Amino acid sequence: MNLLTYEMKKLLINRNKLLLLTALFIVYVFMGWVITRTVEIIEDDRLLILTEHTGKFNPQLYEESKEIYKAAVDKYGSDEALAIQVNHDPVLWFHAFYNWFGTRVNRYWNGPENQDSGDILYPLQEKLKALENVNQAGSYEYRFYQKRLNTELAHGEPYLANVRFWVLYFKAFDATFVILLFMMALAFFIFLLFTQEVKTEMDSIILCSEKGRREIAATKLLSAGITSAIIAAVYLLGHFIGIGIGCGDLSGFDTPIRSLSGFENAMLNVRAGEMALISSFWLIFVALIFSLALALISALSKYQSAVFGLGFVILMSGGMLNYLGGNAREILWPLIDFNFSNMAMFNSIFGGKKIFKILGTPVSYGAAAFILYVLLGALACLLVFVAQKKRMVSQ
């Protein structure tokens, strides 16, 4: 039997695993549909008004909306009574929404009202000019602000559009969903990679065969990668279909990504549909590296439960690190920023403006994560081969 076929049958292409994968697909579709029912979405009457005013910022409409919203605040206050009126009056809802949209546009040009030394100060042109005046045009700070300015100019000011489907689609990368329903499921499929032969006492026979080390280890790693890519695709496809059923349309495919909630500070200058495609490749990439890490644990372990247990610990501990603060956060920032749990949350990687200083050059969060995980994947593969060599010698 072909080695790859054998390994794929062990990990995925067998009756029990295929039934499980089918069940997971149904869960993912259902989960996507439920999100459209439980997350606040734009109702049809509001959607009609919003669609009429889709496009670039309209200063006249903003002034009108600001006055209407201010009058509502004066009449109902700013608490629950106002929220009730906004929710029941589609026109008032739109003006409240456009007032918020105008605030976003103003922030794009002038920066937030409360700025401090930790903010990116606006306008960026003035910051760059100040650095040039003190002969700091070659400094890291100057390159940092120049990168931010180029990004902002490329994006342009916020754009109003109906992006209901895409906002909900990116909920697939929320921590609860992507970690518990995807990453944990992936760990369950991969944990048998090396340990099943140990459990059935076939390990010694395989390792003593003519091609028992390199070819088998390479095939196992390849099967783990293929399995992780398939499971990631099933997760994303199920979520996509569920959201599509709940929303009924895919409007906003070509809308600038910064029109989506959660991507207001995105560095990539792409459209909503393009970002969704990038997110798919990213999750498959992270799943691949995670599967290689699990493969290494499996190669070093004699017990199947230990592999799954360590995978669980890696994911949960990574998520819990986000709650650290103070000195601990400053010391452990690499583990906090680049653990598997955070890497699976695409929005947090590509939706913000975090930049790292690498060799004196400002590098975006996504680029830094990609470089690090390529190196991590290569190291995991190398250590798997080393582990198999040592086990072969010990036999």
Side-chain angles (χ1 to χ4, degrees):
M1 180 184 296
N2 181 278
L3 284 175
L4 181 59
T5 301
Y6 170 78
E7 292 296 336
M8 289 303 300
K9 283 187 174 181
K10 181 175 67 177
L11 296 184
L12 185 64
I13 313 299
N14 61 70
R15 182 175 180 274
N16 291 335
K17 292 293 181 67
L18 289 177
L19 286 175
L20 175 59
L21 190 62
T22 302
L24 285 173
F25 177 73
I26 295 173
V27 169
Y28 297 151
V29 172
F30 179 72
M31 177 191 71
W33 178 82
V34 167
I35 288 175
T36 66
R37 304 298 99 188
T38 58
V39 176
E40 183 178 358
I41 60 176
I42 304 175
E43 298 174 358
D44 290 342
D45 49 1
R46 301 178 185 181
L47 190 60
L48 288 174
I49 301 175
L50 179 63
T51 303
E52 290 177 5
H53 298 91
T54 294
K56 295 183 178 180
F57 176 66
N58 185 327
Q60 290 75 26
L61 180 58
Y62 172 60
E63 291 300 325
E64 178 186 346
S65 296
K66 187 163 60 172
E67 290 300 320
I68 293 174
Y69 183 68
K70 182 178 181 300
V73 172
D74 292 339
K75 181 177 182 179
Y76 301 107
S78 57
D79 296 324
E80 184 177 354
L82 176 63
I84 292 174
Q85 291 299 320
V86 169
N87 288 331
H88 285 82
D89 185 343
V91 175
L92 179 58
W93 171 88
F94 170 77
H95 288 296
F97 182 83
Y98 208 88
N99 178 67
W100 167 83
F101 174 66
T103 302
R104 278 191 60 201
V105 174
N106 181 64
R107 188 183 297 118
Y108 168 80
W109 291 108
N110 303 305
E113 293 182 3
N114 299 317
Q115 297 184 10
D116 57 41
S117 58
D119 290 326
I120 304 299
L121 304 178
Y122 288 87
L124 290 172
Q125 293 95 329
E126 294 182 8
K127 188 69 176 178
L128 292 168
K129 185 176 180 180
L131 291 170
E132 290 172 356
N133 291 337
V134 293
N135 297 320
Q136 293 294 313
S139 66
Y140 167 78
E141 186 180 11
Y142 185 89
R143 291 195 297 270
F144 173 81
Y145 286 115
Q146 186 67 62
K147 183 179 181 67
R148 292 288 297 135
L149 176 60
N150 292 340
T151 298
E152 296 304 320
L153 292 176
H155 279 281
E157 66 182 30
Y159 181 92
L160 188 66
N162 168 26
V163 290
R164 174 174 60 174
F165 174 88
W166 303 101
V167 168
L168 296 179
Y169 167 79
F170 284 106
K171 293 291 181 181
F173 298 93
D174 284 359
T176 302
F177 298 139
V178 75
I179 295 174
L180 296 181
L181 293 179
F182 169 63
M183 298 293 279
M184 290 303 301
L186 176 59
F188 180 79
F189 278 86
I190 300 295
F191 80 100
L192 293 175
L193 191 63
F194 284 94
T195 54
Q196 179 164 305
E197 284 80 14
V198 175
K199 182 179 180 181
T200 58
E201 298 182 350
M202 289 291 293
D203 197 41
S204 58
I205 299 175
I206 293 175
L207 290 173
C208 292
S209 64
E210 182 180 355
K211 299 179 180 179
R213 185 179 65 189
R214 294 181 180 177
E215 185 173 344
I216 291 178
T219 302
K220 286 178 178 291
L221 291 172
L222 178 60
S223 65
I226 294 173
T227 299
S228 65
I230 291 174
I231 297 173
V234 167
Y235 174 76
L236 292 171
L237 181 61
H239 188 85
F240 185 92
I241 292 174
I243 295 292
I245 293 173
C247 289
D249 66 76
L250 304 180
S251 298
F253 179 89
D254 60 347
T255 301
I257 188 59
R258 285 194 171 185
S259 299
L260 275 66
S261 174
F263 289 93
E264 293 89 350
N265 297 306
M267 301 288 283
L268 292 178
N269 185 18
V270 296
R271 305 291 173 173
E274 294 169 337
M275 189 65 109
L277 186 61
I278 293 171
S279 72
S280 301
F281 286 116
W282 179 258
L283 188 62
I284 291 173
F285 170 69
V286 172
L288 170 62
I289 304 303
F290 183 57
S291 71
L292 295 179
L294 290 174
L296 176 58
I297 297 173
S298 181
L300 296 173
S301 177
K302 295 182 179 180
Y303 305 101
Q304 296 178 354
S305 57
V307 179
F308 182 76
L310 284 173
F312 177 83
V313 170
I314 289 172
L315 292 173
M316 292 299 102
S317 60
M320 293 177 66
L321 286 173
N322 289 319
Y323 296 99
L324 292 178
N327 293 333
R329 190 172 189 87
E330 294 180 5
I331 296 172
L332 298 175
W333 69 266
L335 294 177
I336 295 173
D337 288 334
F338 297 103
N339 64 74
F340 281 110
S341 296
N342 276 353
M343 289 299 99
M345 293 184 284
F346 178 83
N347 304 16
S348 64
I349 308 299
F350 293 91
K353 56 188 177 183
K354 182 179 290 187
I355 293 178
F356 295 89
K357 183 179 181 180
I358 300 179
L359 300 177
T361 302
V363 179
S364 67
Y365 195 176
F370 178 77
I371 294 170
L372 177 62
Y373 267 49
V374 167
L375 295 175
L376 180 62
L379 179 61
C381 291
L382 176 62
L383 292 178
V384 165
F385 284 109
V386 172
Q388 285 297 91
K389 182 178 181 179
K390 289 185 175 181
R391 290 171 68 182
M392 183 176 182
V393 171
S394 66
Q395 292 293 329

